[in-house]
Amino acid sequence: MSQAAPRPSLKNPAFWNFGGLFFFYFAIWQLAFTFLSRWLEVEAGMSHGNIGLLNSVMALTAFCLQPVYGFIQDRLGFRKHLFAFVVLVGALMGPFFAFVFTPLVELNQVLGAVVGGLFLSLTLNAGVGIVEAFNERNSRANGFEYGHVRLFGSVAGAIASLIGGFIWASNPNNIWWAGTFSAIVLGVLLLVARTPKPGDSGYDAVAADAGGAETAAGSGRPKVDKQVVLGLLRNRSFLGFMVLMFGAAALYDVFDQQFPNYFAQFVGGRIDPQVLFSRVVFAQILLEALVMIAMPFLINKIGAKRGLQLFALVLVVRVIGSAFFTHTSLLIFWRLLAAVEMPLMLVSVMKYITRMFDVRISATAYMIGFNMSKQVGIVIFSWVFGTAYDLIGFSTSYVIMGGVVLIMTVLSGLLMQDDRRYALEDGAVKASEPARV
């Protein structure tokens, strides 16, 4: 069934409604991840090891909940119940940190880290998939580009980092109340959001897409079962890809988790280190958006495997550089390098998966090879390096971290095949190539 021609996105009220959902959700996300580690150290008095434990619990909770969340949302379709739960948890962020988390940490830091990690993951690490899936489905139903509405989230990240710096300067505890405020606005926008009902053209169009997928499944689409997964795990390139995601993509996140605490040690003068750091993050996000525009052209030129290796090598330079060159201006430069890393990783990951493995099971390859491998790495390395920061200091830990990334990059390079032979000049997958496991 064909969908009626939609109004241009900017004239479609639904575009702004769902864009607002992205904006205020990712405002919560950015406020939390920009200021969390510094708040935990300065305001809650937690050790770096227990901060690492909290991040490990967040990742482990997401690892367990994401499949459950995904299954429930697929059953709910356009219904808002699960999204509303994510919003409710976000709205409780201010009261939680003021009246629950702080007393728990004073009682026992490990208990506080476990409870805090569980709570935050419900709306952040595990909840983000619900927000993305709900908005993507409604974007198709309302006839506008998902990528355009997703841009609201990137804008929110930059603005929340900048405004969060001013909030932190007035009272660091207000960061969590700002998250609560954003969640309340998010809840209002979710309440008024019009989702398609059975019989609506948008509802029928998305249902037709799903039906088409089922038809494809009946006419040769590989069923994602145990044999398909085992086939992927026996593929040398896939194993190499998993190793790189475990040892590089995960450590990208782990390195950034407590970098604000390290950065603060070298900021002199009258400016609050966290306020300065929030402005650096603001600049990084804007640069990241510009780099993302050009990145597909570079990856089509050098190949996705080399793109992933370049991502890992930039991470090594950034991590080890931060260990030895610690002037404030240089630490700002190391942080801004992340604006190159993230586009390198995101574009290369998707191109490597679609070129090297059967595109009909690309979602499975992405879930296992990227998402699950990365989450397992975060669970392990967050606690390990958090403890190392307390025992041997940040600088020595960063040298070890850089060494781990380098070793994993070399090992994965020995396993992964070059993807360029499967790509056309414009970067698309060669249609004539046989299906790859």
Side-chain angles (χ1 to χ4, degrees):
M1 181 179 295
S2 61
Q3 189 174 355
R7 285 179 287 175
S9 295
L10 295 180
K11 295 182 180 180
N12 188 343
F15 174 79
W16 297 100
N17 196 155
F18 288 98
L21 294 180
F22 265 134
F23 184 93
F24 285 98
Y25 175 78
F26 280 101
I28 301 169
W29 176 283
Q30 197 65 42
L31 286 169
F33 284 111
T34 299
F35 299 95
L36 177 63
S37 65
R38 190 71 184 141
W39 186 90
L40 292 173
E41 181 184 57
V42 174
E43 301 299 320
M46 291 183 71
S47 68
H48 298 124
N50 286 323
I51 295 174
L53 175 62
L54 184 146
N55 282 291
S56 290
V57 172
M58 289 174 67
L60 180 60
T61 304
F63 182 85
C64 297
L65 276 184
Q66 280 175 338
V68 178
Y69 271 8
F71 174 77
I72 294 174
Q73 187 58 51
D74 283 341
R75 295 292 298 271
L76 289 173
F78 288 103
R79 286 174 286 178
K80 307 174 184 178
H81 301 68
L82 196 53
F83 197 156
F85 172 73
V86 172
V87 173
L88 175 63
V89 177
L92 293 173
M93 191 171 285
F96 173 80
F97 278 99
F99 306 118
V100 178
F101 182 77
T102 301
L104 272 180
V105 171
E106 292 174 352
L107 179 66
N108 186 290
Q109 286 197 12
V110 173
L111 178 61
V114 172
V115 174
L118 286 168
F119 174 83
L120 286 171
S121 189
L122 290 175
T123 192
L124 298 176
N125 300 55
V128 64
I130 298 304
V131 178
E132 298 270 13
F134 182 85
N135 279 7
E136 188 278 332
R137 183 169 291 170
N138 279 280
S139 296
R140 282 188 286 130
N142 285 282
F144 49 77
E145 286 289 340
Y146 172 76
H148 294 166
V149 75
R150 179 62 176 80
L151 185 61
F152 282 79
S154 300
V155 173
I159 293 176
S161 297
L162 185 63
I163 295 177
F166 295 105
I167 296 173
W168 177 277
S170 64
N171 185 343
N173 294 318
N174 286 339
I175 288 292
W176 309 117
W177 292 105
T180 291
F181 172 78
S182 294
I184 292 172
V185 179
L186 177 62
V188 172
L189 289 171
L190 180 63
L191 180 65
V192 301
R194 296 186 60 184
T195 56
K197 303 291 191 295
D200 292 348
S201 60
Y203 186 98
D204 294 340
V206 173
D209 288 344
E214 292 175 2
T215 302
S219 60
R221 180 170 183 158
K223 182 181 178 181
V224 180
D225 55 15
K226 181 180 178 180
Q227 295 305 314
V228 170
V229 174
L230 289 177
L232 275 173
L233 295 177
R234 287 193 292 264
N235 185 300
R236 280 173 56 93
S237 292
F238 189 73
L239 287 175
F241 179 75
M242 289 178 64
V243 168
L244 192 59
M245 295 305 100
F246 172 83
L251 284 174
Y252 172 90
D253 283 4
V254 171
F255 173 66
D256 283 350
Q257 284 169 2
Q258 299 201 45
F259 184 77
N261 293 331
Y262 180 68
F263 179 82
Q265 298 175 12
F266 302 97
V267 177
R270 299 175 60 183
I271 189 170
D272 187 306
Q274 187 60 34
V275 173
L276 175 60
F277 184 75
S278 70
R279 295 171 184 173
V280 174
V281 173
F282 170 75
Q284 175 215 321
I285 293 173
L286 295 181
L287 286 172
E288 197 172 278
L290 294 175
V291 173
M292 184 65 83
I293 296 172
M295 192 54 66
F297 301 101
L298 174 63
I299 301 306
N300 288 340
K301 185 73 174 178
I302 67 175
K305 176 184 175 180
R306 289 186 179 178
L308 289 169
Q309 291 173 324
L310 183 57
F311 150 73
L313 291 177
V314 173
L315 178 59
V316 170
V317 170
R318 190 160 71 98
V319 171
I320 295 182
S322 298
F324 291 108
F325 304 100
T326 57
H327 188 276
T328 304
S329 58
L330 287 173
L331 289 175
I332 291 173
F333 173 74
W334 301 132
R335 175 68 192 194
L336 292 177
L337 273 183
V340 178
E341 285 176 88
M342 182 59 75
L344 267 173
M345 180 181 70
L346 291 178
V347 175
S348 298
V349 161
M350 298 311 300
K351 286 188 177 291
Y352 194 80
I353 287 175
T354 55
R355 289 176 180 178
M356 293 303 300
F357 316 115
D358 193 325
V359 295
R360 295 171 294 177
I361 55 171
S362 59
T364 302
Y366 179 85
M367 182 182 71
I368 298 174
F370 177 75
N371 196 39
M372 296 181 69
S373 300
K374 179 182 175 181
Q375 291 294 335
V376 170
I378 293 174
V379 170
I380 295 172
F381 291 128
S382 291
W383 180 78
V384 168
F385 281 104
T387 303
Y389 298 150
D390 286 328
L391 296 177
I392 59 177
F394 278 90
S395 295
T396 305
S397 300
Y398 284 166
V399 173
I400 296 172
M401 186 185 296
V404 172
V405 176
L406 188 59
I407 291 171
M408 294 294 185
T409 303
V410 172
L411 179 59
S412 64
L414 296 174
L415 294 171
M416 295 168 66
Q417 293 183 9
D418 193 334
D419 59 286
R420 286 175 295 176
R421 60 184 173 138
Y422 294 114
L424 299 171
E425 289 185 3
D426 63 355
V429 180
K430 290 181 180 178
S432 59
E433 288 292 341
R436 302 172 291 287
V437 176

